[in-house]
Amino acid sequence: MKIRILAGAVALVSSVTLSGCGYLPGSDADSSKVTVWLMKGSASESFLDRFEESYEAEHPSVELEIVLQEWGGIGPKVLKALEGSDAPDVIEVGNTQVAQYAESGELRDLTLESIRDLGGEDWLPGLAEPGKVNGAQYGIPWYAANRVVIYNKDLFAQAGITELPETREEWVEITERLNTTGQQGIYLAGQNWYVLAGFIWDEGGELAEEGGGEWEGTLDSPAALRGMDFYKTLQALGDGPKDADEQTPPETDVFAEGDVAQIISVPGSAALIEQQNPELKGKLGYFPIPGKTAKTPGAVFTGGSDLIVPEGAEQRGEGIEVVKALAGEKWQTELARAMSYVPNKPALASVVDGQEGTSAMAEGATEGRATPNSPFWPAVEADNPIKVYMTAVLEGGDPAEEARKASDRITSKLITG
């Protein structure tokens, strides 16, 4: 299998030049090499083996070269590749990164393919919407992942809880019952802003909104403030730190101690929990984050990847065909089952039936959203006034005043980057 792994900045720049795109040395003139940058860990080696073998059998004039990249520092690498003369033919990018790359003017508009060949109108909104910039679809959804509630089945049983909550009201009620002396109803760190975003969206609010071509932070809207108020209510039903995020300390380590009833995380966190505490194996359950009513689950931030095609890629046409294959039903089904991902269309969610955590994730993904689709949003996350705001409110600060200050900082970053 022709897969190369790149680690480090030096390997990055030389890789594209050395691997190149275009015709294969010594091959038939009609044969072409299609270079595909994928992120390390996004797909297993066995999946990539199967895809490569199948695709090349169906397209005998094409040789795929898959180059695995590291997520760390990928932004500058992709921008440099887009601006160079030896861009790869397909690049996997984070779904919220598409706007940043589209700003360069070096991405192929894939709107026609998304409508004509891929049924783009049926994609998960949390993947499709950030892939669309100024009405053009540049990012083709590949896979999704989002947070669910992971719970300790033993602690639920001991509290006499036999039915999982379907609404926020029910969720708070059972979490209060679970929050007893020596036991936390939920471990929710004070700065888990992705979770807060879902509560804000449930209330009809936004982190930032665009008007007249300009972006403005909107944490101080009434709807956003209601979302923060619910977060404060839930966060108080455990001992999560008010001044740290979910990695400080890692929430999986805290849950593994056995006295926490719930955390909000991706289903894959269960493996880390069981590694820390093997006694919890088989005792973890999952349910979608509850919404305001039982009709729909709560809104969630959708993470995942889109596929883009550089405008300057030598094998651009062949690259588009590879994207269409990876985003099509056959390989979406394969990828979802192999990697426990949510496929790019809700209609395909049944392919992960039997995988409890992934099924809960797929149900929640129907209400998935993404961060504001501004090329400058990464600058907001780097400075992250949302975390500062959350801590200030949880420690007793005036919500409206703290939200206004955070919104002003967001606005500034969305103007200047």
Side-chain angles (χ1 to χ4, degrees), residues 83-242:
E83 294 167 359
S85 59
D86 294 307
D89 304 296
V90 179
I91 306 175
E92 175 195 352
V93 301
N95 60 319
T96 61
Q97 297 173 336
V98 177
Q100 176 187 3
Y101 302 137
E103 184 80 357
S104 71
E106 299 295 337
L107 296 190
R108 177 70 171 175
D109 182 349
L110 301 173
T111 304
L112 176 61
E113 289 80 6
S114 70
I115 297 172
R116 181 189 63 197
D117 304 318
L118 292 169
E121 67 276 6
D122 298 322
W123 284 330
L124 289 170
L127 289 180
E129 290 172 3
K132 181 180 290 187
V133 181
N134 297 326
Q137 193 76 45
Y138 294 104
I140 301 299
W142 192 26
Y143 67 83
N146 50 266
R147 288 162 177 79
V148 300
V149 181
I150 302 177
Y151 70 97
N152 185 316
K153 292 181 178 180
D154 281 355
L155 297 186
F156 268 54
Q158 291 167 17
I161 299 168
T162 57
E163 294 186 6
L164 298 176
E166 295 184 345
T167 67
R168 278 191 187 179
E169 184 178 2
E170 293 172 356
W171 191 21
V172 169
E173 190 273 328
I174 70 161
T175 304
E176 287 174 339
R177 288 168 58 187
L178 290 160
N179 192 44
T180 62
T181 302
Q183 178 178 297
Q184 298 184 57
I186 189 168
Y187 180 86
L188 180 58
Q191 296 182 350
N192 197 329
W193 70 276
Y194 285 119
V195 173
L196 171 64
F199 297 160
I200 289 174
W201 292 328
D202 272 343
E203 296 289 348
E206 300 287 347
L207 304 177
E209 292 186 283
E210 183 183 20
E214 295 184 356
W215 285 89
E216 181 178 4
T218 53
L219 291 177
D220 54 342
S221 72
L225 287 170
R226 290 195 299 271
M228 183 65 218
D229 185 61
F230 180 73
Y231 190 99
K232 184 176 181 179
T233 296
L234 194 64
Q235 200 271 340
L237 300 177
D239 298 328
K242 295 179 173 60

Side-chain angles (χ1 to χ4, degrees), residues 19-25 31-35 63-65 89 315:
S19 66
C21 305
Y23 297 116
L24 294 171
S31 295
S32 56
K33 178 187 291 185
V34 178
T35 303
E63 178 183 350
L64 293 181
E65 181 177 48
D89 304 296
Q315 299 297 333

Side-chain angles (χ1 to χ4, degrees), residues 55-398:
Y55 192 87
E56 290 183 349
E58 294 173 3
H59 304 80
S61 63
V62 171
E63 178 183 350
L64 293 181
E65 181 177 48
I66 299 173
V67 183
L68 300 184
Q69 301 280 357
E70 300 281 354
W71 279 112
I74 192 61
K77 293 181 181 182
V78 172
L79 289 171
K80 186 164 186 174
L82 292 176
E83 294 167 359
S85 59
D86 294 307
D89 304 296
V90 179
I91 306 175
E92 175 195 352
V93 301
N95 60 319
T96 61
Q97 297 173 336
V98 177
Q100 176 187 3
Y101 302 137
E103 184 80 357
S104 71
E106 299 295 337
L107 296 190
R108 177 70 171 175
D109 182 349
L110 301 173
T111 304
L112 176 61
E113 289 80 6
S114 70
I115 297 172
R116 181 189 63 197
D117 304 318
L118 292 169
E121 67 276 6
D122 298 322
W123 284 330
L124 289 170
L127 289 180
E129 290 172 3
K132 181 180 290 187
V133 181
N134 297 326
Q137 193 76 45
Y138 294 104
I140 301 299
W142 192 26
Y143 67 83
N146 50 266
R147 288 162 177 79
V148 300
V149 181
I150 302 177
Y151 70 97
N152 185 316
K153 292 181 178 180
D154 281 355
L155 297 186
F156 268 54
Q158 291 167 17
I161 299 168
T162 57
E163 294 186 6
L164 298 176
E166 295 184 345
T167 67
R168 278 191 187 179
E169 184 178 2
E170 293 172 356
W171 191 21
V172 169
E173 190 273 328
I174 70 161
T175 304
E176 287 174 339
R177 288 168 58 187
L178 290 160
N179 192 44
T180 62
T181 302
Q183 178 178 297
Q184 298 184 57
I186 189 168
Y187 180 86
L188 180 58
Q191 296 182 350
N192 197 329
W193 70 276
Y194 285 119
V195 173
L196 171 64
F199 297 160
I200 289 174
W201 292 328
D202 272 343
E203 296 289 348
E206 300 287 347
L207 304 177
E209 292 186 283
E210 183 183 20
E214 295 184 356
W215 285 89
E216 181 178 4
T218 53
L219 291 177
D220 54 342
S221 72
L225 287 170
R226 290 195 299 271
M228 183 65 218
D229 185 61
F230 180 73
Y231 190 99
K232 184 176 181 179
T233 296
L234 194 64
Q235 200 271 340
L237 300 177
D239 298 328
K242 295 179 173 60
D243 59 351
D245 64 20
E246 63 274 20
Q247 294 301 319
T248 315
E251 61 185 355
T252 52
D253 290 358
V254 178
F255 189 90
E257 293 175 6
D259 58 358
V260 172
Q262 306 168 88
I263 59 170
I264 303 172
S265 189
V266 294
S269 294
L272 298 175
I273 294 166
E274 292 169 356
Q275 182 179 345
Q276 288 284 329
N277 185 353
E279 292 183 3
L280 289 176
K281 193 165 186 176
K283 298 180 180 180
L284 303 182
Y286 314 82
F287 58 87
I289 295 173
K292 297 186 72 175
T293 71
K295 293 181 179 179
T296 56
V300 290
F301 168 75
T302 301
S305 287
D306 282 12
L307 300 170
I308 60 174
V309 175
E311 187 68 66
E314 189 170 341
Q315 299 297 333
R316 188 178 64 201
E318 293 290 355
I320 292 172
E321 293 304 309
V322 171
V323 168
K324 286 159 60 175
L326 286 169
E329 181 174 348
K330 175 183 177 180
W331 291 104
Q332 280 292 293
T333 298
E334 290 265 347
L335 185 67
R337 288 174 174 165
M339 302 301 295
S340 297
Y341 289 146
V342 177
N344 60 15
K345 293 180 179 178
L348 297 176
S350 62
V351 304
V352 294
D353 284 353
Q355 300 180 17
E356 185 182 355
T358 310
S359 293
M361 188 164 62
E363 185 177 347
T366 61
E367 297 300 313
R369 299 279 299 276
T371 49
N373 204 15
S374 163
F376 294 137
W377 185 258
V380 175
E381 292 193 23
D383 181 52
N384 216 324
I386 305 174
K387 289 185 173 184
V388 177
Y389 156 63
M390 296 173 73
T391 293
V393 173
L394 294 175
E395 291 182 342
D398 177 73

